[in-house]
C-alpha cells in the first residue's frame, strides 16, 4: 500500500500541468544533446556534461520512440519520481511499519521540490529513485546478508552514480549504517559490503575523473558555500521554507521518540551526503541545492515516524492534520513551480515570432545562446508556418553545437557581414534592465549601428525584440 499510494499520488500531482512551463535553461541542454547521434553525445561528453552523458543517452533513445514533445521529454522524470516516492513508502514500511511508509510517501508527494524535478527533463528524479532503491537494497542485504543481495546492492549503487555522480555520496551514509549494524555483534557477513561497494566505486572511477576535469567548465558559476548558504540548505532543497521548517521539526521529534538506531540511520541518510558535498565545496565548489534532492526521502521517513509514533490522539487523526498542514504550506510553492522556472519562456517567445514574422526575417541570439538556441528551435519547429511565412533564419550561425562537440554553437565573427541587408531581425535575449542593445559586445554594437527597435516583448525571464534596419 505505501508503494502504490506513493507512486499513484506522485504521478497525479507531478503530471498536473507538467507542460505548463516551457523548457527551461538546463532543459535546453537536454534538448540539444538528445537530438544528436550516439557518437555526437559521446563526443560532447569529452568536453562538457560528461557526468550526465548516461542521462542524455537515455533521453536520446526515449525520444527516438516517443518523440520530442515537452511531455515526452519530461515523462522519464515523472515516471522515475513516481517510482522513487513509492520506494520511499516501501523503505519506511520495512524500517518502521506500514503507517510510517504511507505517511512518508504522502509527505514526499507534498514536497514542492519533488514535484518540480518530476516535471524537468534533467536527471535529478532518476537520481532520487535510484538512491532510494540502493538504500532499500542495502537494508535487504543487511537483514539477510548474502553475496547475491550484496551484488544487487552494488548494482543499484553503480546505477545511482551513473545517473548523477554526486548522488553516489549516499554510499558514505550506507557505510555508517553498516557500521551501526555491525558493531554490536561483529557480524562478518555485513563486511561483504566493502568489496562490492569498492567494485562499484572503481567502476565509477572514470566518470569521477571526467567530472573533476570538467568541474571548472561545468560548475564555474558555483561559489564556495558560506554559513548563510548552509543555513539556507533545507529551504533551498525543498523549495519552501515553511515545508522545511515543518519537516525539520518533525525530524527532531522523531529523534526523541523513535529507537535511537533507526533515527540515527535515517539522519545519516538525510544529512551525511549533503554535508559531504558542502564540505568538499570548501575546496572544490560543487554544491548546488538540487543535487541534494535524493536526501529528501529519508527525511520524509524520519518525519513520518514522528507522526506515527505510539501516542494519543490516534495515528490516523495525527497523520491527517500533519498532511493537511503540509499541503497548505506547500501550496504556494507548488503553484509557483507550475507558473515559471525563472527562465525565459521560449514557447511564448516563439509564439510572438510566429504571430508577427514575415518572409525574409532573421534571428539573432544574445547572451546564453547555448540554451536559448535549442529551446527556441524546439518551439519554432513546432509552429505550422503557412506559406510564404517560415521560421526566421539564424543569421549568425556558422557551425552547430553538435558538430563542435559542445553545447554552444559557433557564430559568425564578422557580424555586420553576416547580417547582410536583412530588413527585420528578431533578437532573443534573457530579460535584463535597460535597452536590449546596451550590451557592449561586438554583436550588439553592430546591431545598434544598423537597426532600431520597433518593439519588445517579455516572456518570464526572456525578451524578444523586433529590430528594423535604418533607412
Amino acid at each position: 500500500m505505501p508503494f502504490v499510494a506513493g507512486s499513484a499520488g506522485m504521478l497525479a500531482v507531478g503530471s498536473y500541468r507538467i507542460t505548463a512551463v516551457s523548457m527551461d535553461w538546463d532543459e535546453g541542454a537536454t534538448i540539444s544533446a538528445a537530438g544528436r547521434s550516439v557518437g555526437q553525445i559521446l563526443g560532447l561528453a569529452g568536453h562538457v556534461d560528461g557526468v550526465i552523458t548516461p542521462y542524455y543517452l537515455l533521453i536520446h533513445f526515449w525520444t527516438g520512440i516517443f518523440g520530442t514533445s515537452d511531455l515526452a521529454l519530461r515523462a522519464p522524470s515523472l515516471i522515475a519520481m513516481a517510482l522513487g516516492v513509492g520506494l520511499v513508502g516501501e523503505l519506511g514500511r520495512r524500517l518502521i511499519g506500514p503507517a510510517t511508509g504511507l505517511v512518508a510517501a504522502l509527505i514526499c508527494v507534498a514536497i514542492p521540490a519533488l514535484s518540480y524535478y518530476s516535471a524537468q527533463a534533467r536527471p535529478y528524479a532518476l537520481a532520487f529513485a535510484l538512491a532510494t532503491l540502493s538504500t532499500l537494497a542495502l537494508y535487504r542485504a543487511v537483514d539477510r546478508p548474502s553475496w547475491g543481495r550484496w551484488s544487487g546492492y552494488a548494482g543499484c549503487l553503480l546505477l545511482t552514480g551513473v545517473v548523477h555522480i554526486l548522488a553516489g555520496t549516499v554510499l558514505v551514509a550506507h557505510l555508517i549504517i553498516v557500521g551501526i549494524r555491525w558493531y554490536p555483534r561483529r557480524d562478518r557477513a555485513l563486511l561483504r559490503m566493502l568489496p562490492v561497494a569498492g567494485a562499484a566505486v572503481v567502476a565509477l572511477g572514470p566518470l569521477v575523473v571526467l567530472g573533476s576535469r570538467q568541474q571548472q567548465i561545468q560548475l564555474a558559476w558555483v561559489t564556495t558555500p558560506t554559513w548563510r548558504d548552509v543555513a539556507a540548505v533545507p529551504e533551498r532543497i525543498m523549495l519552501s521554507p515553511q515545508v522545511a521548517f515543518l519537516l525539520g521539526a518533525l525530524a527532531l521529534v522523531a529523534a526523541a521518540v523513535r529507537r535511537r538506531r533507526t533515527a540515527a540511520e535515517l539522519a545519516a541518510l538525510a544529512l551525511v551526503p549533503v554535508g559531504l558535498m558542502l564540505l568538499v565545496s570548501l575546496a572544490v565548489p560543487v554544491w548546488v541545492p538540487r543535487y541534494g534532492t535524493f536526501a529528501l526521502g529519508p527525511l520524509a521517513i524520519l518525519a513520518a515516524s514522528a507522526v506515527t509514533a505510539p501516542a494519543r490522539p490516534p495515528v490516523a487523526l495525527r497523520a491527517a492534520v500533519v498532511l493537511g498542514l503540509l499541503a497548505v504550506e506547500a501550496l504556494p510553492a507548488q503553484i509557483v513551480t507550475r507558473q515559471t522556472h525563472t527562465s525565459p519562456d521560449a514557447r511564448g517567445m516563439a509564439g510572438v515570432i510566429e504571430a508577427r514574422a514575415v518572409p525574409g526575417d532573421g534571428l539573432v541570439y544574445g547572451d546564453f545562446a547555448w540554451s536559448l538556441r535549442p529551446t527556441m528551435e524546439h518551439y519554432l519547429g513546432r509552429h505550422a508556418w503557412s506559406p510564404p511565412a517560415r521560421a526566421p533564419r539564424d543569421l549568425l550561425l556558422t557551425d552547430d553545437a553538435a558538430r563542435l562537440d559542445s553545447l554552444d554553437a559557433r557564430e559568425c565573427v564578422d557580424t555586420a557581414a553576416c547580417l547582410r541587408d536583412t530588413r527585420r531581425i528578431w533578437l532573443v535575449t534573457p530579460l535584463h534592465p535597460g535597452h536590449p542593445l546596451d550590451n557592449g559586445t561586438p554583436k550588439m554594437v553592430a546591431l545598434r549601428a544598423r537597426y532600431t527597435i520597433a518593439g519588445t516583448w517579455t516572456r518570464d525571464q526572456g525578451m524578444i525584440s523586433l529590430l528594423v534596419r535604418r533607412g
Side-chain angles (χ1 to χ4, degrees):
M1 185 62 180
F3 177 86
V4 173
S7 295
M10 190 70 246
L11 199 61
V13 172
S15 62
Y16 177 66
R17 291 176 59 82
I18 188 172
T19 60
V21 180
S22 73
M23 306 299 280
D24 64 23
W25 287 118
D26 287 347
E27 289 177 303
T30 301
I31 294 170
S32 176
R36 307 181 189 196
S37 67
V38 172
Q40 288 173 329
I41 294 174
L42 295 177
L44 174 68
H47 296 84
V48 67
D49 273 358
V51 295
I52 310 179
T53 298
Y55 173 75
Y56 287 156
L57 289 170
L58 168 66
I59 299 301
H60 167 80
F61 290 113
W62 174 273
T63 54
I65 299 171
F66 297 103
T68 58
S69 67
D70 289 6
L71 179 59
L73 286 162
R74 288 171 173 168
S77 292
L78 175 63
I79 295 168
M81 189 63 81
L83 292 174
V85 169
L87 290 171
V88 169
E90 173 60 13
L91 182 60
R93 184 191 72 82
R94 284 175 176 266
L95 289 178
I96 300 174
T100 300
L102 179 59
V103 173
L106 295 178
I107 285 174
C108 286
V109 171
I111 295 176
L114 299 186
S115 296
Y116 180 84
Y117 293 115
S118 73
Q120 192 183 46
R122 298 299 283 171
Y124 312 117
L126 276 78
F128 177 89
L130 287 168
T132 306
L133 179 62
S134 68
T135 300
L136 185 59
L138 172 78
Y139 275 108
R140 291 185 74 249
V142 166
D143 289 341
R144 292 177 57 191
S146 69
W147 283 113
R149 291 194 172 200
W150 282 121
S151 297
Y153 161 73
C156 294
L157 182 64
L158 178 60
L159 286 175
T160 302
V162 164
V163 166
H164 197 275
I165 194 66
L166 290 177
T169 54
V170 73
L171 171 60
V172 182
H174 290 171
L175 289 169
I176 293 173
I177 291 170
V178 170
I180 291 173
R181 296 295 181 101
W182 171 85
Y183 183 77
R185 294 180 298 171
R186 308 296 200 276
D187 186 353
R188 291 186 178 182
L190 297 181
L191 299 182
R192 295 175 183 175
M193 178 212 186
L194 300 179
V196 298
V201 170
V202 170
L204 288 171
L207 209 56
V208 173
V209 171
L210 185 60
S212 63
R213 289 176 178 174
Q214 295 178 358
Q215 186 269 338
Q216 288 296 327
I217 300 172
Q218 195 166 334
L219 297 177
W221 55 277
V222 178
T223 59
T224 302
T226 64
W227 285 113
R228 182 174 296 178
D229 295 324
V230 173
V233 162
E235 65 181 82
R236 289 181 180 174
I237 290 181
M238 298 186 214
L239 301 183
S240 168
Q242 296 87 352
V243 170
F245 178 81
L246 176 58
L247 294 187
L250 288 172
L252 290 175
V253 172
V257 301
R258 281 295 177 184
R259 284 196 312 166
R260 186 176 302 175
R261 188 184 74 180
T262 302
E265 291 174 357
L266 288 169
L269 288 165
L271 300 176
V272 169
V274 172
L276 181 61
M277 283 186 268
L278 286 165
L279 187 62
V280 170
S281 292
L282 296 177
V284 182
V286 295
W287 168 249
V288 180
R290 58 180 175 265
Y291 295 170
T293 305
F294 68 89
L296 293 178
L299 178 64
I301 297 173
L302 194 58
S305 71
V307 177
T308 58
R312 292 182 180 275
V315 169
L317 178 59
R318 277 181 279 145
V321 170
V322 170
L323 289 172
L325 179 60
L326 181 62
V328 170
E329 291 186 338
L331 186 60
Q334 292 278 14
I335 292 172
V336 168
T337 59
R338 288 163 174 80
Q339 293 177 337
T340 177
H341 286 184
T342 62
S343 294
D345 178 8
R347 183 194 296 146
M349 292 192 290
V352 169
I353 295 176
E354 193 271 342
R356 297 168 177 82
V358 300
D361 281 2
L363 190 65
V364 170
Y365 293 95
D367 296 337
F368 296 95
W370 66 269
S371 176
L372 288 173
R373 182 173 271 113
T375 49
M376 287 297 294
E377 290 176 351
H378 173 72
Y379 289 111
L380 287 171
R382 279 169 160 66
H383 281 285
W385 298 89
S386 56
R390 60 185 178 85
R393 184 170 65 89
D394 193 339
L395 297 175
L396 303 184
L397 180 66
T398 57
D399 283 298
D400 66 26
R403 288 185 58 188
L404 299 173
D405 291 335
S406 173
L407 289 175
D408 212 351
R410 179 179 292 135
E411 294 189 341
C412 181
V413 176
D414 189 347
T415 301
C418 290
L419 295 177
R420 300 179 183 175
D421 57 352
T422 306
R423 182 173 173 273
R424 297 180 5 136
I425 293 175
W426 294 97
L427 174 64
V428 179
T429 64
L431 181 63
H432 54 76
H435 196 282
L437 297 178
D438 279 349
N439 189 315
T441 62
K443 182 193 305 185
M444 294 303 177
V445 170
L447 286 169
R448 188 166 59 245
R450 293 165 177 78
Y451 292 86
T452 184
I453 297 177
T456 61
W457 297 262
T458 60
R459 295 293 184 271
D460 283 348
Q461 297 301 307
M463 175 183 291
I464 188 158
S465 306
L466 175 59
L467 311 182
V468 178
R469 191 176 179 86
R470 291 192 177 93

